[in-house]
């Protein structure tokens, strides 16, 4: 069984990646799927002065479940069991660390397909995940 980490961000690109996981299964590859979204931490001391830690955690959960919704609907419709995860941290490093620590066979994620110039200026979560994970990474545009 292929242990797959589906990294999502709530975008249509992430939904394309979820459909790719369905295609893997439909092609006869048994999959164990974990769906991960990563929220950027709220690090501002000013926010933390006025917002309770429990409210910040609730915000992470609420936004995280919203990010997971599209991929979950696709997997549910396909009858694929999965385990959802919400993490907080630097997006690419958190995905790569999670993949490495949990021994995933494959990371599947959507790519926004930015131009080379935009990639140089903004960087790429996908590129960073590829550099930092031990597992192969399948990008779906």
């Amino acid at each position: 069984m292929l242990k797959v980490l589906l990294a999502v961000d709530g975008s249509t690109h992430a939904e394309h990646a979820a459909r790719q996981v369905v295609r893997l299964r439909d092609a006869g590859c048994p999959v164990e799927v974990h769906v991960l979204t990563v929220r950027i931490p709220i690090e501002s001391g000013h926010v933390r002065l006025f917002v309770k830690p429990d409210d910040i955690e609730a915000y992470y959960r609420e936004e995280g479940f919203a990010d997971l919704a599209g991929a979950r609907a696709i997997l549910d419709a396909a009858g694929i069991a999965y385990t959802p995860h919400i993490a907080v941290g630097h997006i690419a490093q958190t995905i790569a660390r999670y993949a490495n620590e949990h021994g995933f066979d494959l990371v599947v994620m959507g790519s926004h397909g930015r131009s080379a110039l935009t990639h140089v200026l903004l960087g790429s979560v996908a590129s960073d995940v590829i550099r930092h994970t031990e597992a192969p990474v399948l990008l779906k545009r």
Side-chain angles (χ1 to χ4, degrees):
M1 181 167 300
L2 190 67
K3 188 173 179 183
V4 177
L5 177 60
L6 173 59
V8 301
D9 61 2
S11 69
T12 57
H13 303 284
E15 291 177 3
H16 295 314
R19 288 186 192 93
Q20 188 63 43
V21 171
V22 173
R23 282 192 284 282
L24 283 171
R25 190 277 318 263
D26 289 348
C29 182
V31 291
E32 174 189 334
V33 181
H34 294 255
V35 186
L36 172 69
T37 190
V38 181
R39 302 301 306 162
I40 297 171
I42 297 172
E43 296 176 344
S44 168
H46 297 292
V47 170
R48 292 187 178 276
L49 284 174
F50 300 104
V51 181
K52 297 176 188 172
D54 289 346
D55 292 336
I56 293 172
E57 291 302 317
Y59 166 78
Y60 290 144
R61 276 192 309 280
E62 182 179 317
E63 293 297 310
F65 280 119
D67 288 347
L68 293 169
R72 291 180 75 176
I74 290 164
L75 296 172
D76 286 341
I80 296 177
Y82 57 87
T83 306
H85 306 276
I86 300 169
V88 177
H90 178 275
I91 296 170
Q93 291 172 353
T94 303
I95 294 168
R97 184 177 61 248
Y98 197 86
N100 293 337
E101 288 176 357
H102 296 279
F104 285 94
D105 300 310
L106 179 67
V107 176
V108 179
M109 55 193 300
S111 172
H112 291 260
R114 294 189 172 101
S115 70
L117 177 60
T118 305
H119 172 74
V120 168
L121 296 174
L122 299 177
S124 167
V125 169
S127 293
D128 286 348
V129 170
I130 290 168
R131 277 195 301 274
H132 294 103
T133 189
E134 298 164 9
V137 177
L138 186 155
L139 298 178
K140 178 64 178 157
R141 282 179 44 172

